[in-house]
DNA sequence: TTAAGTTGGGTAAACGTTAACTCAACATCA
DNA sequence: TGATGTTGAGTTAACGTTTACCCAACTTAA
């Protein structure tokens, strides 16, 4: 049915090795006319390379397997995939994406996907976190996206949460805001790092005591949609307190939306009375708020792009953790 | 490095065939103790099946390749993928997704992805359309999602646009609206079908002459974000005309949003004066509009799910075109 | 003129797996 | 007792590539 190298060799009156060389063997020495004759023949016969067969010889298939800890179809994952995909263009690599859903452990999914003998593996997390990786993942080409290995054996690409909070806080200060509150996401690595960056910026500006406060956005330790929001309680408390803030930094755009609502109920103008800034840049949300929200965009696509570059670079990278800067998206809330 | 069947066979003192049978050969006759001994050994040695090697033998790899005509990372494609992925759970199949972007023809992408020898292929379109497929795609397992083959050689799953327009129009009629206008998307197959369904519902209700009108939402033949919108012109014209509509059906949620704005400018209440309904169910948009929009949800996930079932059913399906119903999402705009 | 290198291509083995045969040992039945 | 299964496993040959090795013919240089 499908035509193989041998079929072509037979028709061309040469050996399969010659056909293989003619079609795939870059600059191997070979008569130009032979090569062209074979290429034409292969074309006419409708030859399609069998990567599976090549894979048995090489030990791998030109496939990058990406394992994600949550639905691969969320907007964040989509951005990562897009970055990966763009960087793969023309590299003769395909991407195979798997989910870690439905009670399957990392080990299981890893084993499942390894059966395909992918050239490289990427592990992607939805939220910046530290994970424990199965031992095998460290062999061969691997990279972690939006997370770090607990043992530091695998190179990682993570967002620079500390730096992002530092930058946005400095941005607020530069706009003349001195009393700044931060309604943060509790229980998350990103939240911890951002709080550190927030405090560093204030410290450097000598604003430690100018009414800076960090409050949790939700009641429970782990942030999820169903956790009870504390924003509606915190905002009036902040406004009525002694050091009413001139700016509120939100843990993400959803929290910012709630802050908008609370400020509106309190009759405050944004950004006239209180500036609001945030993290995530969920475009649908941020642009539709009134006023449109100034927010720090996560470097998801950048992480995907760099992941692809690392995986395709053919040299085992040192297992470094590379921090990627957020991008400030200025709208009208500051 | 990686352990093979032969390595296990050597250690177990049996032949590779026996190991293969013990690990993969379903109910082949074999001593239970031998099987268990080998399975344990394989586990201890960290054996991972080599699907590439198996693939050379079988002629295919347990891979479903999906080729999409636009960015695989759009929300619609995401829904299709989600449906596919769900249905694949536990079926021992992986999905490999490719884009038809950057000037690559269907033929090229098809040839590229065929090199992996996937078990099945799916072709997915972003918008309901008829496409010309490369000949090879009809061989083996294949299915078309959200589009039809011009020659009808490949089984297809398409949304029932005619029926959806019929249903939503009947819904409007059932709510007492008699004069209904339809601001449709021009130049699209979906638009044509929907217009037919719209007219059928009116005809059946004897409302042919009750002021029914179909107008294009944009000036150009092909709908895109940059096409000049005609909604702001059409709506006042409709309202000021002799048969001011009691309901307006929109080509999609974005058009509905523009209709909202135009009605508001004209001082009309939704749904008091004019009901609005639409197609797409872009949740972000539809729920945030005021009032929330009643709209027909496309069966994207359903298409993905059925595609997976068809592809995995092991029997060549007759190349039928299966139409899938939209789902009415009732909110407050009717 | 001859030794050495170059050019173009063939041979055969290997990659890890599966499948078509084969075969010995044992059980069953007339 | 012998014919007939049945059970369990080994042998061998594929699948379509790539690669290590080899060799003949020709070219080049001393």
């Amino acid at each position: 049915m499908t035509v193989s190298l041998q079929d072509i060799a037979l028709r061309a009156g040469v050996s399969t090795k010659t056909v293989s060389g003619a079609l795939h063997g870059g600059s191997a020495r070979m008569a130009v006319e032979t090569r062209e004759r074979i290429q034409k023949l292969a074309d006419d016969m409708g030859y399609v390379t069998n990567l599976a067969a090549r894979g048995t010889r090489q030990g791998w298939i030109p496939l990058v397997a990406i394992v994600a800890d949550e639905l691969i179809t969320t907007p964040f994952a989509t951005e990562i995939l897009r970055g990966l995909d763009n960087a793969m263009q023309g590299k003769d690599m395909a991407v195979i994406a798997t989910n870690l859903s439905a009670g399957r452990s990392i080990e299981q999914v890893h084993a499942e996907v390894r059966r395909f003998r992918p050239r490289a593996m990427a592990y992607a997390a939805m939220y910046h976190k530290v994970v424990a990786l199965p031992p095998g993942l460290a062999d061969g080409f691997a990279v972690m996206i939006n997370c770090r290995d607990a043992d530091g054996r695998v190179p990682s690409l993570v967002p620079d949460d500390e730096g992002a909070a530092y930058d946005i806080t400095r941005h607020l200060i530069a706009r003349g805001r001195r009393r700044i509150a931060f309604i943060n996401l509790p229980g998350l690595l990103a939240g911890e790092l951002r709080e550190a960056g927030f405090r560093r910026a204030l410290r450097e500006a000598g604003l430690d005591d100018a009414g800076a406060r960090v409050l949790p956005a939700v009641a429970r330790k782990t942030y999820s949609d169903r956790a009870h929001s504390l924003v509606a309680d915190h905002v009036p408390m902040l406004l009525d307190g002694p050091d009413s803030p001139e700016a509120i930094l939100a843990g993400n755009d959803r929290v910012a939306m709630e802050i908008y609502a609370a400020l509106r109920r309190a009759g405050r103008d944004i950004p006239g009375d209180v500036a609001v800034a945030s993290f995530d840049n969920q475009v649908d949300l941020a642009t539709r708020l009134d006023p449109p929200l100034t927010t720090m965009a996560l470097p998801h696509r950048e992480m995907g792009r760099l992941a692809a570059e690392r995986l395709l670079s053919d040299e085992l990278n040192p297992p470094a953790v590379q921090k990627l800067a957020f991008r400030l998206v200025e709208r009208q809330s500051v």
Side-chain angles (χ1 to χ4, degrees), chain A:
Chain A
M1 194 88 303
T2 58
V3 24
S4 71
L5 287 187
Q6 302 201 34
D7 299 332
I8 301 176
L10 225 59
R11 278 266 276 267
V14 299
S15 72
T16 58
K17 177 273 183 188
T18 304
V19 180
S20 173
L23 297 181
H24 308 302
S27 56
R29 62 193 186 185
M30 168 165 325
V32 177
E33 54 178 29
T34 308
R35 160 163 298 175
E36 287 176 350
R37 185 167 58 94
I38 291 177
Q39 283 175 341
K40 171 138 180 24
L41 198 53
D43 242 33
D44 293 346
M45 297 175 69
Y47 171 74
V48 175
T49 307
N50 185 333
L51 293 180
R54 178 185 292 173
T56 64
R57 200 62 238 254
Q58 316 263 57
W60 50 267
I61 299 195
L63 221 43
V64 171
I66 170 166
V67 177
D69 69 345
E70 302 209 12
L71 230 44
I72 201 75
T73 46
T74 62
F76 287 163
T78 288
E79 278 298 297
I80 293 174
L81 278 180
R82 209 181 289 216
L84 261 171
D85 204 62
N86 283 351
M88 298 275 190
Q89 290 296 337
K91 298 290 185 186
D92 196 42
M93 279 271 170
V95 176
I96 171 172
T98 327
N99 272 330
L100 212 60
S101 57
R104 304 191 300 167
S105 68
I106 293 190
E107 285 79 9
Q108 281 175 310
V109 174
H110 181 225
E112 269 179 39
V113 83
R114 272 221 298 176
R115 299 175 312 156
F116 288 97
R117 297 291 187 271
R119 184 68 210 278
M121 302 234 4
Y123 182 82
M126 283 307 96
Y127 304 106
H128 186 180
K129 62 178 74 162
V130 176
V131 298
L133 242 35
L137 199 88
D139 317 341
F141 297 94
V143 70
M144 304 186 65
I145 303 175
N146 207 24
C147 52
R148 291 192 293 112
D149 178 16
D151 306 336
R153 296 164 308 168
V154 180
S156 314
L157 299 164
V158 298
D160 182 11
D161 283 294
E162 201 271 349
Y166 176 81
D167 290 344
I168 186 67
T169 307
R170 279 183 61 95
H171 179 72
L172 289 169
I173 295 170
R175 288 293 186 281
R177 315 286 168 156
R178 303 187 65 77
R179 297 188 304 279
I180 307 174
F182 184 10
I183 301 189
N184 197 7
L185 305 178
L188 292 180
L189 175 57
E192 279 180 42
L193 295 169
R194 290 172 187 177
E195 180 168 344
F198 173 69
R199 293 198 187 280
R200 177 160 68 93
L202 292 178
R203 198 165 51 242
E204 286 185 8
L207 295 173
D208 295 54
D209 309 317
R213 272 192 276 179
V214 177
L215 298 169
V218 291
R220 293 199 287 139
K221 268 296 179 189
T222 52
Y223 184 79
S224 83
D225 287 352
R226 284 171 304 283
H228 176 63
S229 172
L230 299 175
V231 175
D233 303 330
H234 285 332
V235 171
M237 191 196 72
L238 286 169
L239 295 176
D240 297 340
D243 291 312
S244 183
E246 297 159 319
I248 304 181
L249 184 56
N252 66 17
D253 293 347
R254 287 179 53 97
V255 172
M257 186 176 67
E258 297 180 55
I259 294 174
Y260 269 51
L263 287 174
R264 190 141 304 152
R265 278 194 298 272
R268 307 298 171 104
D269 179 58
I270 306 170
D273 301 320
V274 182
V276 178
S278 166
F279 300 90
D280 273 10
N281 189 37
Q282 288 192 43
V283 177
D284 285 339
L285 207 62
T287 59
R288 262 192 254 287
L289 286 174
D290 178 29
L293 179 65
T294 290
T295 180
M296 298 295 286
L298 282 152
H300 281 125
R301 197 181 298 205
E302 193 72 1
M303 289 194 284
R305 195 178 63 73
L306 284 173
E309 283 181 10
R310 284 210 174 191
L311 291 176
L312 267 45
S313 75
D314 249 25
E315 53 191 60
L316 257 342
N317 316 93
V321 174
Q322 187 173 352
K323 289 180 190 159
L324 273 58
F326 286 53
R327 184 171 46 87
L328 170 64
V329 180
E330 276 197 81
R331 297 200 179 88
Q332 281 94 55
S333 65
V334 173

